[in-house]
């Protein structure tokens, strides 16, 4: 392999370490660490934590707080330790105790102090060692007390430990040029190199935010930047000066980017064996920007405007040139290779402190400390370090939630009585956890209504162009590239746009970016003060009077008649429509017993001043709003030619059944039903009744979810709650318009019969599936292959954004600014923030998704054997699964490669008459409860 190819292979290998977050308008949830799914979960998160300098779990103190309030029980910790640690004793000389007991003591009380300066100050300036810690195990406390008062015993133990611990100076191989710098030089290097890189990446990737575009973009970032760097006199920073000649040489010789990368590494003297390490550190210094290069190269159709070429080698070549120039200037080595001698790494005092703490929790005193006992403790501390202990805590944390849910479902199901009679209305929503409460309230209001859950792109995979929008966008799962297009057009056929308003806006925008017209327009800036002030001070009032909601009646161009839109077929054939409708009905098990009205609800969200708005929309629609998909499916299902094809396939839809499409806004709880003017006259009374039910249900839905907002009183009324969420959606200053999927922890796959009337606290994805209509298991297999990764993606992005809000999440939303229309960054300059911001996840409990599937264990084992991708997710425990046999009311949890029967801890569940009776007065997460009208616990 040539050196050129070798560098290319390295970049290809490193590419998977970069964030996979797509442009902000197509922001869709995904597993933050998807690239490590081939590894077991705990192994992967620890590996990634060391690679990215991130956190794999909540802090140990957070788990200890959960222990103190009963969120984790002692039985959970003991169960986890028994399964993870061998049953052996630790010999520490004068002290010998079970390994599990020792590690448990460390989990509960071992401080993990990393700041040497803070530690030294505490030891020298406070009475840290003058009293025994309150969390000492009884055995350890009794032994320490028997040797004397804390001041004497602990000071002696610390002095002996510090004198005994072998603090060797280690040597570390430098991985990157920045490792050659001292602390002050490193800060200067990082600030200058990152700042320079950010500015030019933002200019190059700009999708229209700036009026004046960067030039020479058509040949790629490498060529565009060399053209800029080759111009002398344009660079304010003196350290950039040496790059002028280098850029001119590279341009004149037409040196490819990969060759430039190799030459830069050689020029700096980086040892060949460390090239990949060096490239990895360079990429991960600002992972968001090169990550966006990769994503735009893979899916340019998701960019706000057609992007320029985004080759990763272009980015790396420029980044290395800039790093070399800045490092040479700081080190004072203008030419020749740099020194790559191993670095001396001094010992840390915090290591001694951890050994001391471990010895104290074991009940050791100064006389017990010697080279052998310390070596044993050091080996155990390395084996069960902070990451490993937190992994054990995580298992205990998840176990307590799992037992509560499984016991609750079994107890609820045992109370249920069979229902009979035909439903008067069937409502299909997205499987989204935010719809769990809406469905529950509908069914509380009307026991004769039936709800279903399905992925709300509803099989309508298309590029959709809405009326009066310039661009189309794909409304389907992010991994699909549609072959169809759908257009929304005026119902009256008038397609002429309002060019006058558009032209005026364009002139104003262009004028504001020019010297003369910008100066004139700025004089009129005072005119915006009054609407801006009213918008900020009273967003609800402003929205009501300044933003009219009336919309022009529209229709969908649904049937394919030979027209194309950018190479995609405009519409679907009747056969394709029948296939889409059939697929939805069969997957849900809705192939007979049709109600007179069947409603398909898409969903989305709207809020103002919110760059992450797409993250609140439908994940199955690639971060878009799914109303069009629901409307399209209902329209297809009402066609006579489609129903004829369904009947031929064995699905007979009665003539008395009518399908309606609709849209639920999860931020303001607005519910809109489409094409009601097309509903037959005989059905209009049922439609009015449906509208009344939906109106009441959305008020109750708003009432349930506002309890999470500190701005809403706990005794708020449903009408006031609805107004509250409506105002939040229009408030420009609102950092948390809704909490989205926060709290998601559960996914139910099966018949609604066993989860109907079960309060699940808006934490569950609820997927409709009927095993009685799936003899060979193919429907379940198809469902799990799609639902499993989608649910995992949402759940794990919330998990990682919570446990490390800075590295994996986007931290605080308040300093975010849109960058180049492709992402957000902090303030005027930072890396692209690629996770979820803190105000979206702050109430979340970071647990892996628990999937409860109505199927016998042997059926699930057969499906996993035939689906390696899904099997990998489950075997490596990125998601957790439970098999549920509703006929026998038994459950089996998939644990360590096989299904283990769940033995309930309790057979009871709280019973209340209405959902509000259970959640009223609470802001925290709540356990399951049975909603049984007319009954109470």
């Amino acid at each position: 392999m040539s050196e050129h190819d070798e560098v290319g292979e390295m970049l290809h290998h490193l590419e998977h370490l970069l964030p996979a977050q797509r442009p902000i308008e197509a922001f869709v949830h995904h597993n933050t660490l998807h690239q490590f799914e081939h590894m077991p979960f705990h192994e992967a998160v620890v590996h990634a934590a060391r690679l990215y300098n991130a956190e794999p779990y909540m802090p140990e103190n957070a788990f200890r707080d959960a222990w103190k309030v009963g969120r984790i029980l002692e039985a959970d910790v003991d169960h986890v330790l028994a399964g993870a640690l061998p049953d052996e004793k630790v010999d520490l000389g004068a002290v010998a105790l079970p390994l599990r007991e020792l590690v448990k003591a460390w989990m509960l009380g071992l401080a993990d102090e990393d700041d040497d300066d803070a530690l030294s100050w505490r030891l020298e300036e406070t009475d840290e060692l003058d009293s025994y810690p309150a969390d000492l195990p009884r055995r350890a406390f009794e032994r320490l007390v028997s040797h004397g008062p804390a001041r004497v015993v602990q000071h002696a133990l610390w002095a002996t430990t510090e004198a005994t611990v072998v603090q060797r100076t280690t040597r570390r191989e430098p991985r990157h040029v920045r490792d050659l710098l001292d602390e002050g030089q490193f800060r200067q290097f990082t600030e200058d190199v990152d700042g320079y890189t950010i500015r030019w990446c933002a200019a190059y990737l700009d999708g229209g935010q700036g009026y004046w575009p960067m030039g020479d973009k058509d040949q790629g970032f490498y060529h565009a930047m060399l053209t800029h760097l080759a111009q002398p006199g344009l660079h304010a920073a003196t350290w950039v000066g040496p790059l002028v000649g280098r850029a001119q040489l590279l341009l004149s010789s037409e040196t490819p980017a990969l060759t430039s990368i190799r030459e830069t590494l050689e020029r700096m003297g980086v040892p060949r064996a460390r090239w990949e390490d060096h490239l990895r550190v360079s990429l991960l210094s600002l992972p968001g920007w090169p990550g966006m290069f990769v994503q735009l190269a893979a899916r340019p159709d998701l960019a706000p405007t057609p992007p320029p070429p985004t080759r990763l080698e272009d980015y790396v070549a420029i980044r290395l040139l800039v790093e070399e120039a800045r490092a040479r200037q700081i080190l004072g080595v203008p030419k020749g290779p740099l020194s790559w001698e191993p670095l001396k790494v001094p010992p840390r005092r915090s290591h001694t402190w951890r050994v001391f703490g471990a010895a104290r929790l074991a009940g050791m005193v100064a006389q017990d400390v010697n080279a052998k006992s310390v070596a044993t403790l050091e080996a155990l501390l390395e084996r069960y370090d902070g990451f490993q202990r937190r992994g054990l805590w995580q298992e205990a944390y998840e176990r307590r939630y799992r037992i509560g849910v499984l016991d609750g479902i079994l107890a609820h199901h045992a109370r249920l009585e069979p229902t009979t009679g035909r439903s008067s209305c069937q409502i299909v929503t997205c499987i989204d956890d935010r719809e769990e409460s809406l469905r529950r309230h509908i069914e509380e209001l009307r026991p004769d209504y039936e709800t279903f859950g399905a992925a709300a792109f509803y099989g309508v995979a298309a590029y959709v162009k809405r009326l009066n929008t310039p661009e189309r966008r794909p409304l389907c799962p992010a991994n699909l590239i549609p072959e169809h297009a759908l257009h929304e057009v005026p119902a009256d056929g008038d397609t002429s746009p309002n060019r006058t308003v558009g032209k005026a806006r364009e002139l104003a925008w262009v004028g504001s970016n020019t010297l003369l017209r910008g100066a004139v327009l700025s004089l009129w800036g005072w005119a915006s003060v009054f609407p801006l002030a009213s918008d900020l001070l009273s967003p609800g009032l402003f929205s009501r009077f300044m933003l009219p909601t009336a919309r022009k009646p529209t229709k969908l161009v649904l049937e394919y008649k030979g027209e194309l839109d950018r190479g995609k077929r405009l519409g679907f054939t009747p056969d394709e429509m029948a296939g889409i409708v059939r697929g939805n009905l069969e997957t849900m098990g809705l192939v007979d017993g049709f109600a007179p009205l069947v409603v398909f609800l898409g969903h989305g969200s709207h809020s103002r001043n919110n760059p992450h708005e797409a993250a609140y929309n439908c994940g199955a629609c690639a971060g878009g709003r799914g109303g069009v998909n629901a409307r399209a499916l209902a329209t297809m299902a009402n066609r006579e030619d489609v129903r004829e094809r369904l009947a031929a396939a064995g699905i007979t839809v009665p003539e008395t059944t009518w399908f309606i499409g609709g849209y639920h806004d999860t931020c303001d709880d607005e519910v809109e039903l489409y094409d009601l003017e097309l509903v037959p006259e005989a059905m209009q009374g049922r439609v009015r009744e449906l509208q009344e039910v939906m109106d009441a249900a959305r008020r109750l839905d708003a009432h349930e979810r506002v309890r999470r907002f500190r701005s809403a009183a706990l005794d708020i009324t449903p009408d006031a709650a609805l107004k509250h969420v409506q105002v939040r959606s229009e408030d420009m200053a609102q950092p948390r318009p809704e909490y989205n999927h926060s709290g998601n922890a559960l996914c139910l796959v099966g018949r609604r019969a066993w989860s109907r009337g079960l309060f699940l606290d808006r934490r569950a994805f609820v997927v409709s599936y009927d095993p009685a209509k799936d003899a060979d298991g193919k429907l379940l297999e198809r469902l799990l292959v799609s639902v499993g990764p989608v649910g995992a993606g949402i759940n794990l992005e919330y998990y990682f954004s919570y446990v490390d809000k800075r590295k994996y999440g986007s931290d605080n939303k308040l300093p975010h600014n849109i960058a180049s229309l492709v992402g957000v960054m902090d303030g005027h300059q930072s890396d692209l923030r690629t996770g979820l911001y803190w105000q979206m996840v702050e109430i979340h409990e970071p647990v892996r998704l628990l999937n409860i599937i109505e199927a016998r264990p042997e059926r699930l084992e057969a499906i996993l054997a035939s689906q390696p991708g899904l099997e990998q997710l489950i075997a490596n425990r990125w998601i957790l699964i439970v098999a549920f046999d509703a006929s026998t009311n038994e459950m089996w949890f998939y644990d360590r490669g096989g299904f283990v029967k769940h033995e309930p801890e309790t057979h009871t569940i709280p019973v209340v008459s209405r959902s509000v009776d259970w959640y009223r007065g609470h802001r925290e997460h709540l356990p399951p409860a049975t909603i049984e009208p007319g009954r109470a616990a």
Side-chain angles (χ1 to χ4, degrees):
M1 181 185 296
S2 69
E3 293 172 344
H4 182 279
D5 293 335
E6 183 182 6
V7 172
E9 283 293 318
M10 289 179 184
L11 292 182
H12 179 70
H13 176 67
L14 295 172
E15 181 181 296
H16 79 284
L17 299 179
L18 297 172
Q21 195 55 269
R22 288 173 170 171
I24 196 72
E25 286 191 359
F27 192 106
V28 64
H29 300 292
H30 70 290
N31 179 6
T32 307
L33 299 184
H34 68 97
Q35 61 270 43
F36 302 112
E37 286 178 356
H38 63 283
M39 302 168 63
F41 176 80
H42 291 294
E43 180 183 330
V45 297
V46 170
H47 172 74
R50 293 183 171 127
L51 180 67
Y52 299 121
N53 190 28
E55 296 295 337
Y57 311 103
M58 291 193 298
E60 203 157 13
N61 282 338
F63 289 116
R64 291 169 182 161
D65 290 342
W67 163 277
K68 291 172 184 176
V69 299
R71 174 58 180 79
I72 302 174
L73 302 183
E74 186 162 10
D76 300 316
V77 175
D78 290 342
H79 177 87
V80 169
L81 289 174
L85 274 63
D87 184 13
E88 61 184 39
K89 280 201 169 187
V90 176
D91 183 5
L92 296 171
V95 174
L97 69 167
L99 173 63
R100 293 170 186 171
E101 181 181 323
L102 180 62
V103 173
K104 182 177 179 179
W106 290 355
M107 290 172 65
L108 291 169
L110 184 60
D112 196 12
E113 178 64 67
D114 287 326
D115 190 326
D116 282 8
D117 292 335
L119 172 62
S120 296
W121 181 86
R122 280 178 25 228
L123 291 173
E124 295 164 9
E125 302 294 333
T126 71
D127 57 357
E128 176 86 13
L129 300 179
D130 290 354
S131 59
Y132 291 119
D135 52 11
L136 275 176
R138 183 177 182 84
R139 184 204 300 252
F141 177 73
E142 290 176 350
R143 189 165 192 272
L144 292 174
V145 169
S146 70
H147 283 77
R151 179 176 180 83
V152 175
V153 173
Q154 293 194 136
H155 278 275
L157 178 62
W158 168 248
T160 307
T161 304
E162 192 167 31
T164 306
V165 171
V166 179
Q167 297 191 1
R168 298 177 298 273
T169 297
T170 60
R171 297 171 69 81
R172 179 167 59 87
E173 302 287 339
R175 300 177 302 157
H176 191 269
V177 65
R178 69 186 193 184
D179 293 337
L180 308 181
L181 309 173
D182 62 31
E183 186 175 343
Q185 293 172 333
F186 173 79
R187 284 197 299 268
Q188 183 182 14
F189 172 86
T190 301
E191 180 180 343
D192 290 342
V193 173
D194 286 356
Y196 196 85
T197 305
I198 290 165
R199 288 193 295 275
W200 286 106
C201 284
Y204 182 76
L205 296 181
D206 182 32
Q209 189 173 20
Y211 178 68
W212 303 108
M214 179 181 179
D216 297 307
K217 292 167 65 170
D218 57 336
Q219 295 187 54
F221 185 66
Y222 175 66
H223 187 273
M225 283 301 299
L226 290 182
T227 301
H228 164 74
L229 289 168
Q231 302 177 59
L234 295 182
H235 311 291
T238 57
W239 60 269
V240 182
L243 284 175
V244 174
R246 174 65 54 190
Q248 292 172 345
L249 178 61
L250 292 171
L251 279 175
S252 63
S253 62
E254 298 184 352
T255 302
L258 288 174
T259 302
S260 174
I261 292 171
R262 174 181 57 77
E263 291 177 349
T264 304
L265 294 171
E266 290 176 339
R267 240 184 353 264
M268 288 192 292
V270 182
R272 179 71 61 86
R274 300 182 209 165
W275 279 11
E276 187 164 336
D277 275 346
H278 196 285
L279 293 173
R280 179 171 58 249
V281 174
S282 289
L283 280 172
L284 298 184
S285 296
L286 290 173
W289 287 106
M292 188 57 65
F293 271 68
V294 173
Q295 291 305 308
L296 290 176
R299 289 295 301 272
D301 59 313
L302 298 179
T305 57
T310 53
R311 295 178 289 268
L312 184 60
E313 61 262 31
D314 286 7
Y315 170 89
V316 174
I318 296 300
R319 170 85 190 193
L320 290 185
L321 287 171
V322 174
E323 287 178 348
E324 179 194 11
R326 192 65 185 108
R328 286 189 181 280
Q329 197 270 345
I330 291 175
L331 294 171
V333 185
K335 293 182 180 180
L338 305 175
S339 173
W340 292 86
E341 293 298 318
L343 305 170
K344 292 183 178 180
V345 181
R348 300 190 63 182
R349 200 179 192 192
S350 57
H351 170 69
T352 305
W353 178 253
R354 278 190 290 276
V355 175
F356 163 78
R360 180 171 59 180
L361 288 166
M364 296 173 65
V365 294
Q367 298 93 305
D368 306 326
V369 176
N370 53 52
K372 183 178 179 181
S373 63
V374 165
T376 301
L377 283 174
E378 286 182 316
L380 287 171
L381 283 171
E382 183 176 355
R383 184 177 173 189
Y384 302 107
D385 63 7
F387 284 171
Q388 302 302 321
R389 296 194 304 273
R390 285 153 68 186
L392 296 170
W393 273 121
Q394 182 69 35
E395 288 289 335
Y397 189 67
E398 292 176 337
R399 181 178 188 268
R400 183 45 37 197
Y401 174 74
R402 179 173 71 250
I403 288 176
V405 167
L406 299 189
D407 287 1
I409 291 175
L410 291 173
H412 173 77
H413 186 245
R415 295 179 58 90
L416 295 179
E417 297 179 0
T419 57
T420 59
R422 186 186 181 195
S423 301
S424 61
C425 182
Q426 292 161 330
I427 299 173
V428 185
T429 74
C430 186
I431 65 174
D432 193 295
D433 48 316
R434 292 170 292 178
E435 303 289 23
E436 183 268 325
S437 54
L438 182 71
R439 293 176 62 181
R440 178 166 25 86
H441 288 299
I442 289 172
E443 292 166 345
E444 283 183 42
L445 290 165
R446 290 295 298 267
D448 58 327
Y449 276 37
E450 185 179 11
T451 68
F452 295 81
F457 85 105
Y458 291 123
V460 184
Y463 286 100
V464 175
K465 186 181 183 303
R466 300 294 301 269
L467 184 66
N468 294 329
T469 57
E471 290 297 322
R472 63 182 194 172
R473 66 173 301 159
L475 293 183
C476 61
N479 62 324
L480 296 182
I481 300 178
E483 296 300 323
H484 298 267
L486 283 179
H487 287 182
E488 182 185 37
V489 299
D492 58 11
D494 180 13
T495 58
S496 59
N498 188 342
R499 292 188 174 88
T500 304
V501 175
K503 188 65 176 176
R505 288 177 175 173
E506 181 185 7
L507 288 173
W509 168 245
V510 173
S512 68
N513 286 276
T514 60
L515 181 62
L516 182 59
R517 279 181 286 169
V520 174
L521 287 171
S522 67
L523 298 176
W524 294 93
W526 60 269
S528 65
V529 170
F530 298 107
L532 178 61
S534 64
D535 194 3
L536 291 172
L537 296 176
S538 183
L541 186 67
F542 179 85
S543 173
R544 195 154 52 245
F545 289 102
M546 299 296 290
L547 301 175
T549 58
R551 288 188 290 272
K552 195 173 185 178
T554 65
K555 63 181 180 181
L556 296 177
V557 178
L558 195 61
E559 185 172 357
Y560 175 62
K561 296 182 178 179
E563 294 184 64
L564 298 177
D565 175 11
R566 304 185 201 177
K568 306 297 182 181
R569 290 187 293 164
L570 183 57
F572 298 84
T573 66
D575 284 341
E576 290 171 329
M577 294 183 201
I580 291 170
V581 176
R582 178 184 175 185
N584 279 278
L585 298 179
E586 286 183 339
T587 302
M588 292 186 296
L590 183 55
V591 294
D592 52 26
F594 290 96
L597 283 183
V598 180
V599 181
F600 295 112
L601 278 185
H603 76 100
S605 179
H606 89 280
S607 51
R608 305 186 64 200
N609 191 27
N610 185 9
H612 283 89
E613 188 177 61
Y616 292 85
N617 286 330
C618 180
C621 298
R625 299 185 176 104
V628 170
N629 303 67
R631 185 183 188 186
L633 179 61
T635 305
M636 294 175 183
N638 285 326
R639 288 174 61 111
E640 185 176 347
D641 53 358
V642 169
R643 293 195 180 190
E644 290 173 354
R645 288 167 169 79
L646 290 176
I651 302 176
T652 301
V653 180
E655 293 182 1
T656 54
T657 292
W658 190 261
F659 294 87
I660 296 176
Y663 174 75
H664 175 214
D665 189 311
T666 59
C667 192
D668 68 3
D669 266 313
E670 184 72 26
V671 175
E672 180 181 6
L673 301 177
Y674 300 125
D675 302 324
L676 296 184
E677 69 280 1
L678 302 179
V679 178
E681 181 62 31
M683 305 287 289
Q684 289 295 334
R686 291 185 180 274
V687 170
R688 287 190 292 273
E689 184 180 77
L690 168 66
Q691 290 175 310
E692 291 174 358
V693 172
M694 296 304 297
D695 195 49
R698 71 192 184 99
R699 281 171 163 75
L700 293 173
D701 191 52
H703 187 254
E704 180 173 337
R705 64 190 184 88
V706 296
R707 71 186 180 91
R708 297 292 197 176
F709 301 132
R710 295 286 174 180
S711 56
L714 286 172
D715 61 354
I716 194 171
T717 66
D719 285 341
L722 182 62
K723 182 178 179 181
H724 187 89
V725 298
Q726 290 171 336
V727 170
R728 293 183 82 90
S729 70
E730 298 295 342
D731 189 351
M732 291 182 65
Q734 182 53 253
R736 52 181 72 77
E738 62 164 304
Y739 269 125
N740 207 357
H741 301 291
S742 217
N744 79 85
L746 185 63
C747 178
L748 308 184
V749 180
R751 288 171 287 194
R752 181 58 171 167
W754 53 266
S755 64
R756 183 176 176 128
L758 180 62
F759 181 91
L760 292 172
D761 204 18
R762 294 171 53 87
R763 303 187 70 179
F765 303 102
V766 186
V767 186
S768 292
Y769 163 71
D770 190 346
K773 298 171 182 176
D774 184 27
D776 60 2
K778 293 301 181 184
L779 288 177
L780 180 59
E781 181 174 352
R782 187 172 70 194
L783 193 59
L784 294 182
V785 168
S786 60
V787 169
V790 169
I794 294 172
N795 170 263
L796 291 166
E797 184 161 44
Y798 271 80
Y799 175 98
F800 289 112
S801 294
Y802 184 92
V803 300
D804 196 324
K805 63 181 182 180
R806 293 181 176 84
K807 287 289 183 177
Y808 294 143
S810 291
D811 206 354
N812 193 329
K813 178 186 179 181
L814 300 184
H816 287 178
N817 286 312
I818 295 176
S820 309
L821 299 184
V822 296
V824 296
M825 60 184 180
D826 292 334
H828 74 287
Q829 181 173 285
S830 82
D831 193 16
L832 289 181
R833 307 310 303 265
T834 55
L836 306 177
Y837 60 86
W838 184 245
Q839 288 87 349
M840 193 190 295
V841 303
E842 60 188 348
I843 66 169
H844 188 60
E845 277 193 350
V847 296
R848 287 168 288 177
L849 190 67
L850 179 64
N851 296 265
I852 302 175
I853 304 162
E854 189 177 357
R856 296 283 302 180
E858 51 268 24
R859 169 148 290 182
L860 292 180
E861 288 171 341
I863 291 174
L864 296 183
S866 64
Q867 293 292 338
L870 182 63
E871 194 273 340
Q872 177 178 267
L873 268 179
I874 293 170
N876 287 336
R877 298 177 67 80
W878 291 88
I879 57 176
L880 311 175
I881 67 168
V882 172
F884 176 40
D885 187 338
S887 65
T888 62
N889 207 29
E890 294 177 293
M891 290 180 169
W892 296 263
F893 176 55
Y894 188 86
D895 191 22
R896 296 180 178 87
F899 284 96
V900 178
K901 189 174 181 180
H902 170 70
E903 299 296 342
E905 292 184 1
T906 179
H907 296 280
T908 62
I909 185 172
V911 182
V912 293
S913 294
R914 303 173 302 162
S915 293
V916 65
D917 296 331
W918 187 240
Y919 68 72
R920 181 191 283 120
H922 296 279
R923 297 199 190 275
E924 73 277 8
H925 297 298
L926 294 173
T930 290
I931 312 300
E932 193 173 300
R935 296 289 300 276

